Amino acid sequence: ILNLAIIDRLSLIREQFTTVAIPKGVLKELRVGEKLPGSKKILDALVAKWLQVEEIQDSAMLRILKRELDAGEAEAIALAVETGAQWVLLDESEARKIAKDLGLKVTGVLGILLRACRQKRIPSLRTEMERLREKAGFYIADHLFEDLLKQSQSVKDQGSSKNQS
């Protein structure tokens, strides 16, 4: 959430998911009360109520998840399971694995950007990933960067071949 806010693309989450629930642990990690890059965008989303803070009820599951994950990721997974969320937004690989093992669909910042590129909501996936690296300090392995560019290009190629038929 914060990384997308830093590059001024937080609205992509709203476009793709309408309403997003976050647990208090994630809100705490976002540090919206501080004057940090992206904080104002997140605060605006909270005020607009498309980003909503929800309380976790299943403390037993949360305790188990916290053995393996940091608080924000553990709370995000627990909340997703508890509410029957269709998707959970996670970028850390261990959290993604655990979420998938629990039957959740997982996406991350790069998945949000790739989907936005496919929907023609952003002009350039490359530009947005470069902005993530530069402005947010978001690590993207070079091979993943190139693979995502190929995926975005293959969608464009399919679209142009359909138009030519």
Side-chain angles (χ1 to χ4, degrees):
I1 293 173
L2 180 59
N3 291 310
L4 288 171
I6 289 171
I7 65 167
D8 200 24
R9 293 294 184 184
L10 186 61
S11 62
L12 295 174
I13 296 176
R14 182 179 190 180
E15 291 169 12
Q16 294 177 26
F17 300 103
T18 312
T19 302
V20 178
I22 60 170
K24 287 184 177 182
V26 169
L27 179 64
K28 186 176 179 181
E29 287 179 4
L30 293 173
R31 302 182 342 203
V32 293
E34 300 175 33
K35 291 196 185 277
L36 298 171
S39 295
K40 172 87 169 79
K41 298 281 182 195
I42 295 168
L43 192 55
D44 290 346
L46 289 164
V47 169
K49 297 191 180 189
W50 69 261
L51 185 61
Q52 300 173 353
V53 180
E54 292 192 20
E55 193 81 37
I56 296 168
Q57 305 302 315
D58 190 347
S59 58
M61 174 179 251
L62 185 56
R63 277 194 305 276
I64 292 166
L65 290 168
K66 281 185 176 179
R67 292 179 191 160
E68 302 292 323
L69 303 171
D70 77 21
E73 290 153 344
E75 287 186 28
I77 292 170
L79 183 62
V81 169
E82 194 173 286
T83 60
Q86 292 183 327
W87 289 89
V88 63
L89 178 61
L90 298 164
D91 285 307
E92 199 272 328
S93 60
E94 185 62 23
R96 292 171 70 96
K97 181 188 177 313
I98 290 170
K100 287 176 184 176
D101 288 347
L102 291 169
L104 296 170
K105 291 186 211 173
V106 179
T107 193
V109 170
L110 298 175
I112 299 285
L113 290 175
L114 180 60
R115 187 177 294 120
C117 180
R118 288 175 173 164
Q119 296 170 343
K120 297 180 176 31
R121 301 251 187 223
I122 56 173
S124 166
L125 180 61
R126 175 184 297 278
T127 300
E128 299 306 324
M129 290 193 300
E130 287 172 350
R131 291 178 66 222
L132 265 179
R133 281 177 161 175
E134 293 164 15
K135 288 183 137 193
F138 189 87
Y139 176 75
I140 308 169
D142 291 338
H143 67 88
L144 178 58
F145 192 99
E146 294 304 319
D147 183 52
L148 289 167
L149 289 177
K150 286 177 189 167
Q151 287 182 50
S152 71
Q153 193 57 48
S154 69
V155 170
K156 288 178 186 175
D157 292 344
Q158 289 172 4
S160 64
S161 67
K162 285 179 186 174
N163 293 337
Q164 294 172 0
S165 310

